[in-house]
Amino acid sequence: MNLRKKTVKGMSWSFIDVVAKESIVFVIGIILARLLSPEEFGLIGMTSIFMVLSQAIIDSGFGQALIRKKNCTEDDYSTVFVFNIISGLIIYFIFFFTAKYVAIFFNEPKLVPIIRVLSIGILIKALSLIQTIILIKNINFKLQTKISIISSIVSGLIGVTLAVMGFSVWSLVIKTLVGYLLTTILLWLWNDWKLNFTFNWQAFKELFSFGSKLLITVLIKRIYDNIYKIVIGKYFSVTELGYYTRAEQFTNLASKHLTTTVQRVSYPSLATIQDDQSRLRNAYKFLIQHTMAITLFLMGGLFLTAENLILVLIGEKWIKSVIMMKYLCVAGIFFPLRELNLNILKIKGKSDLILKLEIYKKVITVPFIIIGILFGIKVLVIGYVVTSTISYLIDSFYSGREVDYKMWEQMLDISSSLFITAVSIFLITLLKFFLDLTSGYHLIILILLYVLLNITFFEVFKNKSFKYFKSLLIETIKTIHPLQRK
């Protein structure tokens, strides 16, 4: 199977994986949001920074280094695995003994047992990294899809059952751990890789020379991505943090999870053509154009229907999430652009440049965070939108130099999709201004109107991304329709 077919197949399974998994998580999340309070979600939000940081340390940039390396040996895999286990144990004990100080920082005594139990997930995830990396390198997302769907359903049902039984925040904790454990068990059962406990110092140094800079970069990014949760939890309230995390979970569906789908397939694929400048540029241009068409369509729809979605799906007690969700939708537009631009720098081996850029960008965000603390949570979230824009401008400038695909060219390539989304939102917002459209069936009407307007404008303006996806859909239907096969 050639690279294009293998990538398309991998992208298809990765898309199915994300859609199926996130649909399950979304439905489970709605049920849990109706059963639990914003405060209970806020408590979990306070612990998220520690989980994402621990995962970044365990990975240590080795994951990206292994994917980028064309010919990995058994010593490479085993060395990273042994390092992960040792790192996981050290991090677990650090979190266990520092949990009480974290609780003091947030003035939330309930966090002590939550952090200590949830930290077990660090050890569980450390066992599964290499299995996942091997599947990604082989662009085998079919198996990952099966595993993630099974673990999402089982852990979700357990979480809902515990919430109904009155386990409160512990239903979320146990749901998370069950998901990690089941995923790890299935990866070991259904993957062919066998551990030999080899630790090769030469392999470690080679991988770490590239991965160490990415580790620091990822740590900075993870702290930044979660700094708003820390600030809200510390300077506002656990309930406000609950509203924020719920708004974030909605917008992540259409931004971060879509980007993850594209990244985990495109990164190993593009890494194989890293020395062919022309092919790399064309592939990069293709990804930017089509990924942003989908992102703009989805984020525009979420922005438009934010109030209806919150009221209909999780109830009026979450209404304060609406304004946060709208701002996060705007910020979310820039997330795929930033990540795809950084991907090019990774592929080109510019881990030192990536680190410098992350430091520069995060220094710029500090004044905006301070202003947010002083003037309120709304200003804080607006600052996040501004810093997301600035981050994209910086990333696109440097990645554009690597593959001769400048920021203004990227904007030109996505201008049609951006214009169509903006006009559709404007026209339907005018309609909402004159009519009260907040009930359940109005949500359906808004979605149908938005989709219809977008399709109409896509056809009228001959949008390239729409033409591509339409032809892909027609081709897929022809291959599975029995009459067409004859």
Side-chain angles (χ1 to χ4, degrees):
M1 187 182 296
N2 61 37
L3 180 62
R4 175 180 169 79
K5 289 183 178 179
K6 193 174 183 179
T7 303
V8 170
K9 183 178 179 181
M11 194 77 77
S12 300
W13 275 110
S14 184
F15 181 74
I16 293 170
D17 179 15
V18 170
V19 170
K21 179 183 176 182
E22 295 308 323
S23 296
I24 295 165
V25 171
F26 184 68
V27 172
I28 295 295
I30 290 172
I31 298 171
L32 289 172
R34 287 187 170 276
L35 294 170
L36 304 174
S37 68
E39 180 185 357
E40 287 160 329
F41 277 91
L43 286 170
I44 295 299
M46 288 176 173
T47 67
S48 62
I49 178 66
F50 307 104
M51 295 305 294
V52 295
L53 284 179
S54 63
Q55 182 59 34
I57 294 170
I58 290 171
D59 185 343
S60 302
F62 283 137
Q64 300 291 329
L66 287 171
I67 293 172
R68 184 177 178 272
K69 187 174 181 180
K70 292 184 177 180
N71 298 303
C72 291
T73 65
E74 286 300 314
D75 279 2
D76 292 330
Y77 291 131
S78 294
T79 298
V80 174
F81 180 85
V82 171
F83 177 80
N84 287 346
I85 299 302
I86 296 172
S87 300
L89 286 167
I90 294 172
I91 295 167
Y92 172 76
F93 285 113
I94 289 174
F95 285 176
F96 184 90
F97 290 111
T98 59
K100 60 181 179 181
Y101 301 109
V102 175
I104 292 171
F105 175 80
F106 284 112
N107 194 28
E108 282 290 344
K110 296 177 184 176
L111 284 177
V112 176
I114 292 174
I115 291 173
R116 286 177 174 174
V117 174
L118 201 56
S119 295
I120 297 171
I122 297 168
L123 298 174
I124 298 172
K125 288 183 73 67
L127 292 167
S128 64
L129 178 67
I130 295 301
Q131 303 283 9
T132 304
I133 292 301
I134 292 173
L135 293 178
I136 291 174
K137 279 185 70 70
N138 294 330
I139 317 184
N140 181 359
F141 293 95
K142 183 176 180 179
L143 180 55
Q144 291 185 69
T145 300
K146 291 164 61 177
I147 292 172
S148 64
I149 289 175
I150 293 170
S151 61
S152 296
I153 292 174
V154 174
S155 63
L157 291 175
I158 289 174
V160 170
T161 301
L162 292 173
V164 171
M165 294 171 64
F167 277 76
S168 184
V169 69
W170 288 101
S171 60
L172 298 174
V173 173
I174 296 172
K175 168 185 169 293
T176 301
L177 290 179
V178 170
Y180 290 160
L181 181 61
L182 193 54
T183 297
T184 299
I185 291 172
L186 292 177
L187 279 168
W188 277 93
L189 287 176
W190 293 345
N191 207 336
D192 294 332
W193 184 70
K194 304 299 179 185
L195 175 64
N196 59 27
F197 285 104
T198 299
F199 189 90
N200 186 310
W201 274 107
Q202 186 60 39
F204 177 84
K205 288 189 288 185
E206 179 188 348
L207 293 167
F208 195 68
S209 64
F210 176 80
S212 59
K213 300 182 185 68
L214 288 183
L215 166 62
I216 301 172
T217 301
V218 171
L219 287 175
I220 294 172
K221 286 184 66 176
R222 292 293 178 265
I223 292 172
Y224 170 74
D225 288 344
N226 288 272
I227 194 67
Y228 291 88
K229 293 178 183 177
I230 296 174
V231 169
I232 294 170
K234 174 64 176 176
Y235 294 99
F236 297 97
S237 70
V238 66
T239 302
E240 291 282 4
L241 179 56
Y243 294 136
Y244 179 84
T245 55
R246 178 49 52 183
E248 187 183 51
Q249 285 169 346
F250 270 96
T251 53
N252 281 351
L253 281 170
S255 179
K256 289 190 177 181
H257 295 313
L258 172 63
T259 305
T260 300
T261 304
V262 175
Q263 271 189 311
R264 65 180 185 170
V265 180
S266 64
Y267 183 66
S269 299
L270 294 179
T272 63
I273 58 171
Q274 57 188 278
D275 299 323
D276 190 331
Q277 188 76 352
S278 177
R279 287 181 68 193
L280 185 60
R281 182 187 187 279
N282 290 335
Y284 177 41
K285 181 183 175 77
F286 175 89
L287 286 172
I288 290 282
Q289 191 173 54
H290 298 319
T291 301
M292 286 308 300
I294 300 174
T295 301
L296 287 164
F297 173 75
L298 294 175
M299 297 307 286
L302 278 177
F303 180 91
L304 186 67
T305 61
E307 184 178 0
N308 302 74
L309 282 170
I310 295 295
L311 288 173
V312 173
L313 296 180
I314 57 179
E316 195 169 350
K317 67 180 178 181
W318 292 94
I319 194 65
K320 289 186 179 180
S321 296
V322 172
I323 187 65
M324 295 184 190
M325 183 171 163
K326 285 180 176 288
Y327 285 125
L328 290 177
C329 280
V330 179
I333 291 172
F334 294 97
F335 184 79
L337 287 168
R338 282 159 36 208
E339 293 302 308
L340 290 173
N341 276 284
L342 286 176
N343 249 10
I344 288 298
L345 297 179
K346 290 179 188 176
I347 289 165
K348 287 292 186 177
K350 304 289 184 178
S351 57
D352 53 343
L353 175 59
I354 294 173
L355 175 57
K356 290 177 184 177
L357 294 182
E358 286 305 314
I359 294 173
Y360 295 153
K361 288 183 293 185
K362 291 352 174 202
V363 168
I364 292 171
T365 65
V366 172
F368 290 95
I369 293 172
I370 295 173
I371 292 170
I373 293 171
L374 294 175
F375 293 97
I377 193 168
K378 183 177 178 180
V379 175
L380 182 71
V381 180
I382 291 173
Y384 180 63
V385 177
V386 176
T387 55
S388 294
T389 308
I390 295 172
S391 294
Y392 163 63
L393 295 175
I394 294 172
D395 292 337
S396 62
F397 174 78
Y398 286 96
S399 65
R401 294 196 311 185
E402 292 296 323
V403 290
D404 193 27
Y405 185 40
K406 306 296 189 297
M407 184 269 290
W408 66 267
E409 293 179 280
Q410 295 179 28
M411 288 293 100
L412 188 62
D413 281 339
I414 69 173
S415 59
S416 173
S417 298
L418 180 61
F419 174 77
I420 289 169
T421 300
V423 171
S424 298
I425 291 174
F426 175 75
L427 292 176
I428 298 177
T429 301
L430 280 180
L431 180 64
K432 289 178 68 179
F433 182 77
F434 293 105
L435 300 173
D436 180 22
L437 301 174
T438 55
S439 67
Y441 75 90
H442 284 145
L443 172 61
I444 299 173
I445 292 173
L446 287 175
I447 293 173
L448 291 175
L449 275 175
Y450 179 71
V451 172
L452 182 61
L453 272 177
N454 272 270
I455 291 175
T456 301
F457 288 138
F458 280 141
E459 288 285 5
V460 170
F461 292 103
K462 304 185 187 307
N463 182 270
K464 291 181 180 178
S465 295
F466 180 72
K467 287 173 65 178
Y468 170 76
F469 288 120
K470 186 170 72 171
S471 64
L472 192 63
L473 178 62
I474 292 171
E475 184 180 335
T476 302
I477 293 172
K478 284 181 178 180
T479 59
I480 63 176
H481 195 285
L483 292 178
Q484 292 293 341
R485 287 203 299 267
K486 292 178 181 180

